[in-house]
Amino acid sequence: MESKSTKISGLSHHLHGVLTELHRQPYPHVPNPLTCKKRASVALIIRVRPTYDHWPNSTPAENISQPAQPTQQRLDEFFSYSWVQHGEPEVLFIKRASRVGDRWTGHVALPGGKRDPEDADDKAAAIREASEEIGLDLTTDDTISVGNLPERVVTTSWGSEPLMVLCPFVFLTTRSDPLTLKLQPTEVASTHWIPLRALLSPSLRTVEYVDMSQRFGRQGGFLTRLAIRSLMGWMQFSAVRLVPSETHQCTTTPGFVPEENTPKSSLIQRFKGWCLSGQADSNDTTRPLLLWGLTLGILADFLDMLPPHQTVQLWKYPTFTVPDLRLIVSMVTYNLRKHNALNVRSGARPSNMASDGETTALPVTQETNFEHDRNEVGIGGLGVGRYYGLTDRATDGTSYAVGIMLRGYYDRLRIAIWVFLAWRVAIGSIASVSAWQILRRLR
């Protein structure tokens, strides 16, 4: 049986190959759509935690490659250390602070944010945001700027309206000692280092439940949302339960320690909160950390490059919790899901096993067409437009395996919802007529 040390060592080896490939084959720039000028960047920050049996003998400063060296040489030198080869690769996530009106409140995410006019480029925005949100300087000598992941157009309203172009960048910290982080209280509630092994583990795959009544009943108030919730239930999305190796809480975040004189909610307020709860609370420590939505889409790009390449197989289609709606969705989307799965399996996957593997990134040959790509959406109405890169490709040239799986899915989902509503109206009408006839007979 393969030992834990061997598994970790193998993962570090594969990580070296993936980072080398990302450096050698950068993903192309995706321009903004005509109707959207916003751009945002996030930082995927990786470290290797030393294990007990292979602790580094040298001081942290001696483990740092010279910044004047080429990036490839710095990567090769870093992964040549024994403590790195037997170390535990980890990724840094943040849990956003709860803020009213923020669509990502309380979500697990990567450090990052909107690009400002003073930012020189998209990577500069990621570096600045990491410094502002968690106090981490990604320009120091002990950090290697590796490359980028596929850029994507983020949309809302189930893909009909572009919000921004999101640009993920990959950074590797070469320090063997823990990093000192300074969390911005209004932005970040906590940070979490998650082992790559946990992100790749099938046993930690789960689902996240989202209250879609907030989307469908925005103008109708409490009763409309309650009716939609009762009718359609929750929507569930693929997720990963995170198991942190290290957590840092921002103790100055409002509500971190409950105040003694906080007035208790009334019975009606508690009932409304129970009925319409749909947003994560950053101060709720009992709620498990779940990676889902847009951030999971970004990580899927990265994880799919690592063996055993099971990201797509472990991913689940969005659906609903109400049994008859769930069944209708399954029936309406069956042929589409089968067709998209064939497209994914027919795609060509580059080899990420060797550090010298070469794969040519596909050039952007056309602008994003939102009428065509609006179905490539993510969680809670957030989606990604078309992008091009190193992972699986469909026969039409589209990259990104999960994007291929979702092609056309949300159009079918809308049809399924209308079929469900018609079904419920028919059942309700039949039940009402039957009840009326029974009452007439009893008179």
Side-chain angles (χ1 to χ4, degrees):
M1 185 176 179
E2 192 177 22
S3 66
K4 175 183 175 182
S5 177
T6 303
K7 290 181 179 179
I8 296 177
S9 177
L11 189 55
S12 294
H13 167 72
H14 294 307
L15 177 62
H16 182 198
V18 168
L19 296 183
T20 295
E21 190 166 320
L22 288 176
H23 170 65
R24 291 183 176 181
Q25 302 289 344
Y27 285 89
H29 172 76
V30 173
N32 281 76
L34 296 177
T35 57
C36 175
K37 302 301 181 184
K38 293 182 180 179
R39 299 183 72 85
S41 301
V42 294
L44 176 60
I45 303 170
I46 303 171
R47 76 173 182 185
V48 178
R49 176 192 289 272
T51 57
Y52 180 81
D53 294 330
H54 297 86
W55 203 262
N57 296 322
S58 57
T59 61
E62 293 173 340
N63 289 327
I64 303 171
S65 303
Q66 296 297 323
Q69 295 176 334
T71 299
Q72 185 59 60
Q73 186 175 344
R74 296 181 68 193
L75 286 172
D76 294 341
E77 180 182 345
F78 176 70
F79 282 97
S80 68
Y81 292 117
S82 177
W83 70 269
V84 175
Q85 295 173 358
H86 297 86
E88 180 85 75
E90 298 178 335
V91 176
L92 179 64
F93 293 94
I94 65 172
K95 186 176 183 182
R96 297 206 171 275
S98 295
R99 295 191 300 178
V100 177
D102 184 359
R103 70 174 71 244
W104 291 290
T105 182
H107 284 198
V108 174
L110 298 172
K114 186 176 66 174
R115 177 176 171 177
D116 289 343
E118 59 268 21
D119 294 323
D121 52 28
D122 293 321
K123 186 170 78 171
I127 293 173
R128 176 185 54 78
E129 286 287 344
S131 176
E132 293 177 355
E133 290 187 342
I134 60 176
L136 184 60
D137 187 357
L138 298 177
T139 63
T140 57
D141 296 346
D142 54 8
T143 302
I144 301 176
S145 176
V146 176
N148 67 334
L149 291 172
E151 300 178 0
R152 74 233 26 236
V153 178
V154 180
T155 64
T156 188
S157 300
W158 282 16
S160 62
E161 179 184 349
L163 289 176
M164 69 185 78
V165 176
L166 183 62
C167 310
F169 293 90
V170 181
F171 299 88
L172 173 68
T173 174
T174 60
R175 297 185 66 90
S176 60
D177 59 332
L179 296 173
T180 300
L181 303 178
K182 183 177 67 175
L183 310 190
Q184 217 286 342
T186 61
E187 296 283 346
V188 180
S190 56
T191 58
H192 308 271
W193 285 102
I194 310 296
L196 274 180
R197 288 189 301 123
L199 294 172
L200 292 168
S201 173
S203 63
L204 294 177
R205 292 287 168 152
T206 182
V207 293
E208 169 68 314
Y209 298 95
V210 178
D211 178 16
M212 297 306 292
S213 67
Q214 297 182 21
R215 174 171 302 279
F216 296 126
R218 285 178 177 174
Q219 307 299 326
F222 166 71
L223 293 179
T224 301
R225 290 177 56 192
L226 181 59
I228 294 174
R229 165 78 72 80
S230 303
L231 183 67
M232 301 178 61
W234 296 76
M235 198 169 182
Q236 65 180 44
F237 298 89
S238 187
V240 178
R241 183 167 61 87
L242 300 182
V243 182
S245 66
E246 180 183 330
T247 294
H248 180 59
Q249 298 281 349
C250 183
T251 57
T252 56
T253 298
F256 176 76
V257 177
E259 299 180 5
E260 295 182 2
N261 298 326
T262 302
K264 293 184 178 181
S265 302
S266 65
L267 182 61
I268 296 178
Q269 289 175 331
R270 280 182 283 175
F271 175 73
K272 289 178 66 175
W274 176 79
C275 290
L276 301 178
S277 58
Q279 290 186 321
D281 183 1
S282 62
N283 298 318
D284 185 2
T285 57
T286 62
R287 192 175 188 272
L289 283 173
L290 295 181
L291 175 65
W292 65 290
L294 193 58
T295 306
L296 178 57
I298 296 172
L299 262 293
D301 301 340
F302 181 74
L303 297 176
D304 198 50
M305 301 177 189
L306 293 165
H309 307 291
Q310 290 183 333
T311 303
V312 178
Q313 290 88 332
L314 297 175
W315 182 82
K316 298 179 181 178
Y317 275 95
T319 186
F320 292 87
T321 55
V322 174
D324 50 347
L325 177 54
R326 188 187 186 98
L327 177 61
I328 292 173
V329 169
S330 178
M331 295 172 61
V332 171
T333 62
Y334 175 77
N335 289 333
L336 177 72
R337 289 184 284 114
K338 187 176 180 180
H339 173 74
N340 289 349
L342 289 175
N343 281 342
V344 170
R345 285 196 293 269
S346 65
R349 184 192 305 277
S351 172
N352 296 299
M353 304 290 286
S355 60
D356 58 351
E358 295 185 4
T359 306
T360 302
L362 298 176
V364 177
T365 56
Q366 59 184 7
E367 294 185 0
T368 302
N369 184 332
F370 285 97
E371 288 301 316
H372 180 67
D373 291 330
R374 64 180 183 174
N375 302 300
E376 300 180 18
V377 300
I379 306 308
L382 294 176
V384 295
R386 173 172 299 185
Y387 74 80
Y388 307 80
L390 304 174
T391 53
D392 299 275
R393 289 190 292 122
T395 54
D396 63 356
T398 306
S399 302
Y400 177 38
V402 175
I404 298 171
M405 300 285 281
L406 281 172
R407 177 172 293 281
Y409 183 78
Y410 277 88
D411 275 343
R412 298 292 180 90
L413 197 62
R414 292 186 185 93
I415 295 174
I417 291 174
W418 284 111
V419 172
F420 165 75
L421 294 176
W423 156 257
R424 282 294 183 94
V425 169
I427 292 297
S429 300
I430 294 173
S432 299
V433 171
S434 300
W436 173 252
Q437 291 177 346
I438 293 174
L439 289 175
R440 290 187 60 183
R441 292 172 185 173
L442 294 177
R443 289 181 180 178

